[in-house]
């Protein structure tokens, strides 16, 4: 069965540095991959989508890469701020109407 | 942007009672709605997919008679947890999309259910 792993359960980064989160998957490549932000006690909020034929996507301080050979996506937050502290989820879409979510990485930006 | 409203945001109920959670798409018509459950420090687990006007499709291991889903209109889906038990305590989240192949899911704010 498909397995999605996010590099670490928790990640602490100094303010101003770049935070890099990893999402790895096994078996089949998704049609597209998404990243979401989830704050405690709240539902996920969509951030970025990258398709299987795209290498990189950017949105303001966010950058996502997608390597179908490595079966990996990297999510970068540059010039990180304490307000970026949250749990970040990757989600994969395999064309069966459903999103499959990773376990998430809890990011803390330390002032 | 599209807004999905979930109500209530939290609820406490006694064991054996039923609880209804509502999920509304406020500014768009949601042909498909999804219900997830999330335990502490775990990911979102899809429970069921509901399409307006038809029966919900449940994921393996989810009891359809316990988790009743109704998607009677294009803007409202409800999840009823029947005969709730403490192990049903969890964070329930709905999401909605405008079409089967829509690439972006819009999530509600979630409902924290505590069964005592």
């Amino acid at each position: 069965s498909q397995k999605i792993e996010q590099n670490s359960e928790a990640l602490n980064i100094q303010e101003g540095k770049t935070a890099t989160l990893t999402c790895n998957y096994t078996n089949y490549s998704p049609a597209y991959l998404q990243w979401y932000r989830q704050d405690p006690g709240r539902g996920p909020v969509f951030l970025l989508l990258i398709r299987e034929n795209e290498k990189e996507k950017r949105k303001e301080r966010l950058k996502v890469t997608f390597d179908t050979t490595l079966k990996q996506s990297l999510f970068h937050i540059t010039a990180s701020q304490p307000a970026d502290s949250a749990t970040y989820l990757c989600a994969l879409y395999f064309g069966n109407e459903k999103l499959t979510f990773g376990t998430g990485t809890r990011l803390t930006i330390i002032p | 942007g599209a807004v999905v409203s979930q109500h209530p945001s939290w609820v406490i109920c006694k064991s054996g009672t039923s609880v209804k959670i509502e999920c509304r798409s406020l500014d768009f018509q949601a042909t498909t709605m999804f219900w997830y459950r999330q335990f502490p420090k775990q990911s979102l687990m899809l429970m069921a997919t509901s399409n307006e006007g038809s029966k919900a499709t449940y994921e393996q291991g989810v009891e359809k008679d316990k988790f009743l889903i109704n998607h009677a209109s294009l803007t409202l889906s409800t999840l009823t947890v029947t005969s709730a038990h403490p192990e049903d305590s969890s964070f329930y989240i709905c999401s909605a999309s405008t079409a089967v192949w829509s690439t972006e899911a819009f999530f509600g704010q979630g409902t924290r259910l505590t069964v005592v």
Side-chain angles (χ1 to χ4, degrees), chain A residues 34 38 93 97-98 101-102, chain B residues 34 38 43 46 59 101 103:
Chain A
Q34 301 179 340
Q38 186 177 25
Y93 181 79
E97 301 181 16
K98 299 182 284 192
F101 283 85
Chain B
F34 304 87
Q38 186 177 35
S43 188
L46 182 64
E59 294 299 300
W101 304 112
T103 57

Side-chain angles (χ1 to χ4, degrees), chain B residues 58-72:
Chain B
Y58 290 82
E59 294 299 300
Q60 194 172 11
V62 178
E63 300 175 59
K64 62 179 181 180
D65 294 330
K66 180 169 181 64
F67 298 99
L68 302 179
I69 291 172
N70 185 282
H71 193 162

